[in-house]
Amino acid sequence: MELTTYNKMDSTSAVLGGEEQPSNAIRALSVENRKMARKVEVLQRFIDDTADMTARERVNSELDSAIEEEIDANEAVREVSLTLNETDRASLTAESGVKKVTIASPTHSEMSSVTLSSRFSKWSSSRALKNESHNTYCGRRNRKKLGETFESFDYDASDDSFMYNGQREKAVVEKENRRRNFFRWFYVVVIAFLVGAIAYWMTFAVGRIVYAKYDSVFSRLHKGDNLGAYLTYLAWVNGMIFPAALFVVWAPESAGSGIPQVKAFLNGNQVPGILRMQTLIAKVLGITLCVSSGMPAGREGPMVHTGAILSAGFARGYSDYIPCLPAMYQGFDNPKDRRDFVSMGAAAGVAAAFNAPIGGILFSLEEVSSFWSPSLTWQSFICAIVAAYTVNLFMSVALEGNFNDDGLVLFSPKGEEDASAVYVWWEIFMFILIAILGGLVGSAYVWVNEHITMWRKKVWKGKHPMWRVFEACGVVSLIMTALYFLPVAFDCVEEPHFDDASHHTGFHGLNTVRYTCAEGFYNQMATLSLTPQETTILQLYSRETAGFFSISVLITFTAAYFVCAVTAYGLAVPAGLFIPSMMIGASMGRLVGELLYLWQPDVVDPGLYALVGASAVLGGITRMTISLTVIMVEVSNDINFLLPIMLALAVSKLVGDQFTHSLYDVHMDLANIPYLEPDPPQVFEALSAESIMARDVVMLGAEATVEAIEAALETKHNAFPVVDVGQAGLNRFFCGMITRAHLDLLLIKSREESRLNKTVDLTVSMDPTPFIVQSQLSLRRVLRLFRGMGLRHLCVVDARQRVVGIITRKDFINAPLTVDKAMNDARFVKSTRVAMNRMARSSRIKGANANAPLQLKRSNSFVGIL
């Protein structure tokens, strides 16, 4: 019993055993094959060069006959090779483009060889579509193949034979379903409550730390001890960034926001370590310290990661990190249920962070989830509501029983009922202008951060993780130093009195910062740079407060905070993206509003422009639309401004897509995560399944020996096609798929029964009805099936149901690289040109020749260039 392997041979001969010893029969057929190939080339060149249509039609029939003779020559090589014994085959010299296939036979110990002609099995792509495929699936740079270090999930449940043997009674199944439903809804409520509790604890801790930090700094500053105030400020910053960076050293997956990793996980990638308890602890404590330090970081993205970790833990039912925890119900410990729980947890995280339950559901649906169902909508709805109400419940306790619906980041006006947003018709064009600026700023943010991240990976590659800790402390110290001393460049102004101002009071209030000013005066820049981020956004969004910030202050703060935020994102600390992006956008929008206020003071309210600007920049960076619209409306509590927010997000996304991808997609690309986009590139429509399938398939017979199973398990593959090799052991008719886990169980059982020299029936444990595709199926349809069903591997068969290849996630991702390699292969281009007119004539396409415009077209056997 031998495993099936496919080995590509040299273009002129196959050298086996160290030297060429071709069989006479094969040599004669190879010579004939070369003659036919040259004849086809001559005829093809004549058709391509001549403009006489009559002559071309006369030669067409002769070319068809020549091509058929060439195919017959290749078939003759195959037929002769089938009759050779093992010794003869070891010295076989094959013709150009021939592949050698070694097939397993459960009844023969020797290898059987089959020689397959693949002259018309290669595929190609046009130069016109090569750039599009690169930009969509292979990134913007010539890097190594994606996905080499990531495995995939298989969300399609295996229908093995045990499901049909009738061993389980119907009553038992119904009882198990009732139990699953109970624990599912119980876990939904518990997960939502824990997410809400963690969100409130983070808010409470950040508020206490920030109050103590600024109280100690400003008390020294107001006493005239400027140096002592700065050193105190710097000590607070480094005292929080250093342990936060150490948490990342302890749990590297806790760095950043976590949204790209969660998005990749829900797409079907096994990203190691992102859902561990260790990552949860480092994430919660690290983001609390980072936000408290004042660095450009938000806790909204990390809350999504936190909800995902909690949900995955409950779905699993036990913890390896804390073994003392009692085991829970483990009926959801499978990829599909774990995926649904993680989607619910992501929705709960956004709902708790923004007090936006509907926005949380839409965020999970639009941004992070690749698979959705109506039942998941209902479960996520309950999870998001419970999470949001849990936060409000804890806040109401803190407010002595007054139920609070302000959430964690709410910028709603607290004034008269007529303080809602109103605007006139010409302001719509101003909103479009802000949206265009937001798309440009967002694209610039993504581009700059992408190159900074690439530089960091190059510099710190192979070095001790503590260097990343020192980098985080150093960079954040520089950022906070710049924000601390920036107010020195601006004069003190008298505190204004806005009788009709619509804003919050207290911790989230419109509070001025004196800095070094006297009583009754304040520093406008310090009011922006030395206050909590949520307070800064609220002050920029405050209504009826025109002139509170000067134009020069807004210009300087927007530029400075952009540089600080784009540099900070990507450090080895937990850090979110939402709040820094909103601060940049709110400052930019407020700037435009203040400029327009000088022109139309009776109409323009700069606070409304700040809301549009925050939406535009955040949309330009993340490229979200529907979910971000609902989130911004929920946090602003102003439904009258729905249309300007929608307009800003739509325009900013259109502008941003012209330059870069979203920041989350860029960071997945930088991490070499094989993410499958929902919309494949146009080139996939012209390619077929055989274009990208892997031909080195490891197969097993329906009855395999223990030795063959052990050899299969030594490979890195997760599943193996089970084939019927027939009595001669030369066939490979598809029977089903069997996973590595099933082979492990069968191997253990065989060893217990001492059947080492006997065969094992794989049909008992294999999946007899997996998804398979024909080799000529359009690659776009193959991708839709693969992604829609959440597959890990897809077997490819020919018209006779013989296994010819297998497709995995990495084959889709690396398809454009294969296109480039094929287009640069002169032999491949020649063979494609030879077959081009044959395909054109078979499709009744007249006038096709090598000088015609390049256009992709699929044939029955390959993809050629027309």
Side-chain angles (χ1 to χ4, degrees), residues 202 244-245 247-249 251-262 274 279-280 282-288 290-291 295-306 309 445 449 453 456 468 472 568-578 663-664 667:
M202 292 172 60
F247 279 126
V248 174
V249 175
E253 297 80 12
S254 63
S257 68
I259 291 180
Q261 289 77 14
V262 173
I274 67 167
T279 304
L280 174 64
K283 197 78 170 185
V284 173
L285 297 180
I287 192 60
T288 302
C290 288
V291 174
M295 68 170 290
R299 56 176 172 268
E300 290 69 30
M303 279 302 304
V304 174
H305 195 183
T306 299
I309 297 174
Y445 187 102
N449 184 262
T453 304
R456 283 173 176 153
R468 297 299 308 273
Y569 191 80
L571 291 173
V573 292
L577 177 68
F578 277 69
L663 187 65
Y664 299 143
H667 276 263

Side-chain angles (χ1 to χ4, degrees), residues 64 835-845 859-860:
D64 285 337
M836 180 179 61
N837 274 292
R838 179 172 183 259
M839 185 183 67
R841 290 189 303 278
S842 65
S843 304
R844 298 295 186 265
I845 301 177
S859 72
N860 291 331

Side-chain angles (χ1 to χ4, degrees), residues 740-758:
R740 176 179 293 270
H742 285 83
L743 288 179
D744 286 331
L745 295 177
L746 290 175
L747 193 59
I748 293 175
K749 183 178 179 181
S750 299
R751 288 172 176 172
E752 292 177 351
E753 297 177 356
S754 299
R755 298 172 55 187
L756 297 180
N757 297 324
K758 298 182 179 180

Side-chain angles (χ1 to χ4, degrees), residues 723-789:
V723 296
D724 182 5
V725 297
Q727 294 182 355
L730 301 177
N731 296 321
R732 54 186 186 282
F733 296 109
F734 181 78
C735 296
M737 293 284 290
I738 188 166
T739 63
R740 176 179 293 270
H742 285 83
L743 288 179
D744 286 331
L745 295 177
L746 290 175
L747 193 59
I748 293 175
K749 183 178 179 181
S750 299
R751 288 172 176 172
E752 292 177 351
E753 297 177 356
S754 299
R755 298 172 55 187
L756 297 180
N757 297 324
K758 298 182 179 180
T759 60
V760 179
D761 186 7
L762 301 184
T763 60
V764 178
S765 300
M766 74 177 186
D767 181 2
T769 57
F771 288 98
I772 58 174
V773 294
Q774 292 283 339
S775 59
Q776 305 307 319
L777 184 64
S778 167
L779 192 57
R780 180 182 290 268
R781 296 175 64 187
V782 175
L783 177 61
R784 289 175 180 172
L785 172 65
F786 191 93
R787 189 180 187 276
M789 300 307 300

Side-chain angles (χ1 to χ4, degrees), residues 257-271:
S257 68
I259 291 180
Q261 289 77 14
V262 173
K263 185 176 180 179
F265 176 87
L266 293 177
N267 189 252
N269 293 285
Q270 296 186 29
V271 184

Side-chain angles (χ1 to χ4, degrees), residues 205-219 232 236:
V206 169
R208 295 288 182 175
I209 296 174
V210 169
Y211 178 83
K213 180 183 69 174
Y214 284 119
D215 182 65
S216 61
V217 172
F218 290 146
S219 62
T232 302
W236 273 100

Side-chain angles (χ1 to χ4, degrees), residues 608-774:
L608 302 180
Y609 286 79
L611 176 62
V612 177
S615 304
V617 173
L618 185 55
I621 295 176
T622 63
R623 312 295 161 82
M624 293 188 296
T625 53
I626 300 176
S627 59
L628 196 55
T629 299
V630 175
I631 290 174
M632 296 304 296
V633 170
E634 286 186 293
V635 300
S636 65
N637 198 23
D638 197 344
I639 192 65
N640 294 324
F641 227 55
L642 173 64
L643 292 180
I645 293 175
M646 295 179 65
L647 181 63
L649 289 171
V651 175
S652 66
K653 175 176 171 57
L654 289 174
V655 173
D657 286 341
Q658 304 304 315
F659 301 98
T660 63
H661 294 265
S662 72
L663 187 65
Y664 299 143
D665 292 340
V666 166
H667 276 263
M668 284 192 297
D669 188 36
L670 291 173
N672 291 327
I673 297 176
Y675 183 84
L676 292 181
E677 297 284 353
D679 298 321
Q682 187 65 31
V683 68
F684 276 24
E685 185 65 37
L687 303 179
S688 60
E690 68 176 353
S691 304
I692 67 169
M693 68 182 184
R695 289 174 166 81
D696 53 339
V697 186
V698 178
M699 309 179 196
L700 290 171
E703 294 183 355
T705 62
V706 174
E707 182 182 1
I709 296 176
E710 291 177 342
L713 292 177
E714 291 178 357
T715 65
K716 297 181 179 180
H717 305 304
N718 180 69
F720 309 92
V722 179
V723 296
D724 182 5
V725 297
Q727 294 182 355
L730 301 177
N731 296 321
R732 54 186 186 282
F733 296 109
F734 181 78
C735 296
M737 293 284 290
I738 188 166
T739 63
R740 176 179 293 270
H742 285 83
L743 288 179
D744 286 331
L745 295 177
L746 290 175
L747 193 59
I748 293 175
K749 183 178 179 181
S750 299
R751 288 172 176 172
E752 292 177 351
E753 297 177 356
S754 299
R755 298 172 55 187
L756 297 180
N757 297 324
K758 298 182 179 180
T759 60
V760 179
D761 186 7
L762 301 184
T763 60
V764 178
S765 300
M766 74 177 186
D767 181 2
T769 57
F771 288 98
I772 58 174
V773 294
Q774 292 283 339

Side-chain angles (χ1 to χ4, degrees), residues 36 39-40 43 62-71:
M36 293 299 102
K39 182 178 180 181
V40 170
L43 294 175
E62 187 176 355
L63 177 61
D64 285 337
S65 301
I67 292 177
E68 293 297 333
E69 291 175 4
E70 182 185 15
I71 295 175

